[in-house]
Amino acid sequence: MTLSRPGPAPPVLTPGRRTAGWLAPLGLTFLGLVMGLAVAEVGLRFLVPIEPVFVEWDPVLGVRHRAGMKGTWYRETRAPVRVELNSLGFRNGPLERRKPAGTVRVLMLGDSYLEGMQIPFHQLVSERLRVRLQQAMPAKRVEVLNGGVAGWGQSEQSLYLAQRAWPYEPDLVVSFLNLGNDLRDNWYRTGSPVRPSYELRGDSLVLHPPFLPPWKIFLRDRVLAHLAIPKLVRMYFIHRFEWARLWAVKQGLILRNVGKPRSREEEDAVLEIGRRLYGRMAAECARHRVPLVVLQFPYGLQLVRFYPDTSYTSSKLRRGAPGASQPYEYLGEEMARFFLRSGMSFVRADSAFAAAVSRGDTLYIDFDGHWTARGHDVAASLLAEHILSRGLLPGTDPPAGGAIR
């Protein structure tokens, strides 16, 4: 009788061996994903050029320009634009902090329309205004400081004016009022948490300072801003879906507003905050005996084709035009009444922009909504005429009978 030998015992699968069995494929999958993203990032850089980061975190203003930054701007323009910020953070050539003797200095505060990244320096509203004022005042040296920063509304402007403007010794301050988003950005319910905003508590105006954890600041400004894939996601996903945009705003990844006023009561709330902030700015300028001029310009006078890198939508402001944006008309009318009642010096650009459009001028970049070079020129002409005709700068005289608004 032959006894068969028992076969080898089956291997015992310990928990450690089972884990190793699925960890290896998982690791390979993760490695493949990382390598695929790296290859995609390199390839996309040929299609989606990356601009340098021209702004940085500011605990008071939320965001400010990075002084001395230089680079090329590719977004919202048909041709790359060379952008240089001087050592003071302005989009100007070299300037001294203290005003040189014999110099007349204008400080302009505003958002991306004033900043004008899409336009070469010599075509900016600030530079064109400087040229016009210099021609009218040949005995003086005229400097116009471009203090525009993308996203700045009256919250940032009023804080900057109160805390940082006066060492530059301006003889005149010009404030931009963009009816498209400035007023709602000033209100804490529709503004971004990474920007300063306000709320009304009884009769008091209460500041909500900007806040963003340091790790999010690092992630946004030092990592995501330098990569093509996040830019592509923002261009073609975040701005295309409302819920994605709102999430990105609340995370501090983009600076756009959270929403819009949903009722006349909410519109009146943002109006009241805007009026009070301009009251503060006027009082601050009066304390330094410096005139304040407000340029109130419309949200858009032309149909603007959708461009995935912006939240702009097609709209018109002209009364009765197809697609007219009534909320912006209401805000514009109410702010104009406020400026007239308060005696503030302001320029309302609606009529001049509408007239230029009716002549066939293209004032807005067709796939974005910011001003073209012609738009900057129209705004500069309006401001120069207003400033010179009212004698708002040293060395200029108002018309007989006193200045008019």
Side-chain angles (χ1 to χ4, degrees):
M1 178 175 173
T2 305
L3 297 177
S4 59
R5 295 182 179 179
V12 178
L13 297 178
T14 63
R17 289 186 179 182
R18 285 199 299 267
T19 302
W22 62 263
L23 273 181
L26 182 63
L28 290 174
T29 301
F30 178 76
L31 180 61
L33 179 62
V34 171
M35 293 181 64
L37 289 173
V39 172
E41 174 68 27
V42 173
L44 283 173
R45 285 180 175 269
F46 293 97
L47 302 174
V48 186
I50 304 298
E51 302 92 359
V53 181
F54 288 95
V55 295
E56 61 186 359
W57 173 256
D58 187 285
V60 175
L61 305 171
V63 64
R64 66 187 176 204
H65 273 161
R66 299 178 68 182
M69 195 66 198
K70 300 179 181 180
T72 302
W73 189 262
Y74 297 96
R75 281 179 285 163
E76 311 147 333
T77 180
R78 295 191 182 280
V81 176
R82 181 67 179 175
V83 175
E84 298 185 7
L85 304 178
N86 66 19
S87 61
L88 302 176
F90 297 110
R91 197 174 172 202
N92 288 88
L95 291 171
E96 297 180 30
R97 184 177 296 273
R98 298 296 299 271
K99 183 175 62 179
T103 299
V104 172
R105 180 173 276 182
V106 178
L107 172 63
M108 302 183 75
L109 300 175
D111 60 1
S112 55
Y113 280 82
L114 171 60
E115 181 188 51
M117 292 294 201
Q118 311 81 14
I119 299 296
F121 172 74
H122 68 278
Q123 297 178 339
L124 289 174
V125 56
S126 54
E127 182 61 10
R128 294 194 175 196
L129 175 62
R130 185 198 66 79
V131 170
R132 286 171 170 80
L133 295 178
Q134 187 67 78
Q135 291 172 347
M137 306 171 63
K140 298 279 189 178
R141 172 183 171 85
V142 178
E143 294 179 348
V144 178
L145 280 58
N146 187 317
V149 179
W152 273 22
Q154 287 64 52
S155 295
E156 291 88 353
Q157 292 181 39
S158 60
L159 290 168
Y160 185 89
L161 196 59
Q163 301 185 27
R164 303 183 184 179
W166 302 112
Y168 300 111
E169 303 176 275
D171 299 290
L172 174 69
V173 174
V174 176
S175 167
F176 273 36
L177 171 56
N178 177 3
L179 291 175
N181 59 272
D182 277 3
L183 295 174
R184 70 189 189 210
D185 283 351
N186 297 326
W187 190 34
Y188 79 107
R189 288 188 181 177
T190 51
S192 167
V194 298
R195 300 177 58 253
S197 58
Y198 288 86
E199 70 167 307
L200 287 169
R201 293 182 187 171
D203 197 43
S204 300
L205 196 59
V206 179
L207 172 65
H208 287 236
F211 174 75
L212 194 63
W215 69 269
K216 283 191 176 182
I217 296 174
F218 178 84
L219 178 66
R220 184 191 66 183
D221 298 344
R222 302 296 181 182
V223 180
L224 298 180
H226 297 277
L227 298 175
I229 293 178
K231 180 178 179 179
L232 200 68
V233 171
R234 177 171 57 86
M235 290 171 61
Y236 291 99
F237 181 78
I238 288 179
H239 283 299
R240 186 163 290 186
F241 299 98
E242 182 72 6
W243 65 267
R245 184 179 64 82
L246 296 180
W247 175 84
V249 169
K250 291 178 180 179
Q251 298 303 315
L253 300 178
I254 57 177
L255 301 176
R256 295 301 306 151
N257 57 287
V258 173
K260 301 177 182 179
R262 299 183 179 182
S263 65
R264 183 52 54 91
E265 290 74 18
E266 291 190 352
E267 289 177 350
D268 289 338
V270 302
L271 279 169
E272 181 59 23
I273 290 173
R275 288 190 286 255
R276 293 199 183 197
L277 290 176
Y278 268 119
R280 288 185 177 184
M281 294 172 68
E284 184 69 23
C285 287
R287 190 167 68 88
H288 289 83
R289 299 181 179 179
V290 171
L292 170 67
V293 174
V294 179
L295 176 66
Q296 176 178 304
F297 58 94
Y299 181 62
L301 290 170
Q302 291 178 295
L303 285 174
V304 181
R305 292 202 308 272
F306 177 78
Y307 179 58
D309 194 29
T310 179
S311 58
Y312 282 92
T313 56
S314 300
S315 65
K316 287 187 177 181
L317 190 65
R318 284 176 290 182
R319 195 183 308 272
S325 186
Q326 296 297 332
Y328 301 110
E329 287 194 1
Y330 174 69
L331 296 177
E333 294 291 341
E334 289 299 312
M335 288 304 296
R337 291 192 185 97
F338 162 72
F339 292 132
L340 287 172
R341 288 196 307 267
S342 63
M344 294 179 64
S345 185
F346 85 107
V347 180
R348 191 174 184 182
D350 303 53
S351 298
F353 273 58
V357 170
S358 67
R359 293 193 301 267
D361 291 351
T362 301
L363 304 185
Y364 297 91
I365 300 172
D366 58 0
F367 52 84
D368 171 54
H370 286 101
W371 290 336
T372 62
R374 178 60 182 146
H376 281 258
D377 192 53
V378 171
S381 297
L382 289 171
L383 284 169
E385 179 183 0
H386 183 88
I387 292 168
L388 294 172
S389 66
R390 289 151 179 79
L392 298 178
L393 284 173
T396 60
D397 297 319
I404 59 175
R405 288 185 292 275

